[in-house]
Amino acid sequence: MTKPGQSLVLTDRLTRAVDYARKLHTETRKGSQIPYMAHLLGVAALVMSEAGRSVPVTEDMVIAAVLHDTVEDHGGKSRLDDVRKSFGADVARMVEGLSDTLAEDHDQKEGWEERKVGYLRKLRNEPEDVLLISAADKLYNAKAVLDDYKEIGPEVWKRFKRGRNEQLWYFDSLIAVFQLRMSNRIVDELQRVVAELASLSASEASKTTARKVVGREPNDK
């Protein structure tokens, strides 16, 4: 484990993890032609940027950041067993903590609300290493949504299983959990990005509400 003041050393284990993820994640990010690996490497970069700060960053944490979606998106429990065999128990523990489902069949995943509420409940009791990686993951996602909203507006919400209100609820709920447990630049930046996204898209929500009121028939309930 990296101790306070000790430099983070990266070995060929990280190289193997990147290659492992590359072979699995051949998809692109929602609504784009951006390779999904950009997200995984971006989250890992955010985690590495916290080295030497409040949460000691280890190579296992960086590897878990690279692999954080492998179980959720590519095989569930059997994938987790393979991650444990390939990269060790500590990496597997973190990847499990970062997953909102262990369903092996993608079509058998629990519903969106059930998965998100369950993840929030689980996250409250996870150690700081998992919390830091999770915050980095959510920051990368929030920045991507904000950037896309600035480019295409409300159309961005159509890329997700749920719309603006549910997405913002989830981000706000995550921030509340993070802030209870730790304080760092990633959490602060996540709060700022989500607040900007909420503010920027507020006029859209107001217009939608107004259209519903104007279009309502006298006997509508």
Side-chain angles (χ1 to χ4, degrees):
M1 174 178 288
T2 305
K3 299 177 181 178
Q6 182 177 340
S7 297
L8 171 64
V9 178
L10 303 174
T11 71
D12 61 352
R13 292 179 66 239
L14 176 58
T15 305
R16 288 195 293 110
V18 170
D19 201 44
Y20 187 95
R22 176 188 62 80
K23 292 174 182 177
L24 287 176
H25 292 279
T26 57
E27 69 271 29
T28 58
R29 292 283 282 171
K30 290 184 177 72
S32 77
Q33 296 301 312
I34 300 171
Y36 199 82
M37 284 298 297
H39 169 67
L40 303 177
L41 295 175
V43 174
L46 285 169
V47 171
M48 285 188 280
S49 73
E50 288 299 298
R53 296 184 180 273
S54 58
V55 179
V57 177
T58 66
E59 183 181 39
D60 276 356
M61 289 174 64
V62 180
I63 291 172
V66 171
L67 301 179
H68 76 270
D69 277 336
T70 56
V71 169
E72 189 175 303
D73 293 341
H74 291 282
K77 179 64 167 57
S78 61
R79 178 63 59 191
L80 180 62
D81 292 340
D82 192 57
V83 168
R84 182 177 294 107
K85 179 181 178 182
S86 300
F87 299 101
D90 202 40
V91 171
R93 169 188 62 79
M94 287 184 274
V95 172
E96 182 174 9
L98 294 160
S99 304
D100 68 16
T101 181
L102 295 182
E104 297 194 4
D105 185 342
H106 193 274
D107 294 329
Q108 297 300 315
K109 282 186 177 183
E110 303 84 352
W112 189 88
E113 287 82 2
E114 182 180 351
R115 285 188 288 114
K116 301 313 176 188
V117 169
Y119 184 78
L120 288 166
R121 186 182 302 117
K122 179 174 71 169
L123 199 60
R124 295 188 185 100
N125 298 309
E126 292 289 350
E128 283 191 327
D129 51 10
V130 172
L131 287 169
L132 180 64
I133 301 167
S134 180
D137 176 29
K138 306 316 175 189
L139 173 57
Y140 191 101
N141 287 341
K143 281 185 171 180
V145 176
L146 178 60
D147 288 345
D148 288 345
Y149 191 93
K150 290 177 178 178
E151 184 176 343
I152 65 173
E155 289 294 310
V156 72
W157 305 119
K158 294 181 180 179
R159 297 176 177 177
F160 304 100
K161 294 181 182 296
R162 296 296 183 273
R164 173 189 183 274
N165 292 341
E166 292 86 355
Q167 297 295 335
L168 290 177
W169 162 80
Y170 187 47
F171 278 130
D172 286 339
S173 299
L174 287 161
I175 290 168
V177 173
F178 295 142
Q179 289 180 330
L180 279 174
R181 298 287 309 282
M182 62 184 184
S183 176
N184 56 50
R185 299 180 303 170
I186 290 177
V187 176
D188 291 344
E189 180 66 1
L190 175 61
Q191 184 176 32
R192 186 198 68 75
V193 170
V194 172
E196 183 178 353
L197 178 60
S199 176
L200 191 63
S201 61
S203 59
E204 163 217 333
S206 298
K207 289 175 183 177
T208 300
T209 301
R211 283 196 298 269
K212 289 180 178 179
V213 171
V214 171
R216 184 178 297 162
E217 294 295 332
N219 292 327
D220 281 354
K221 295 181 180 179

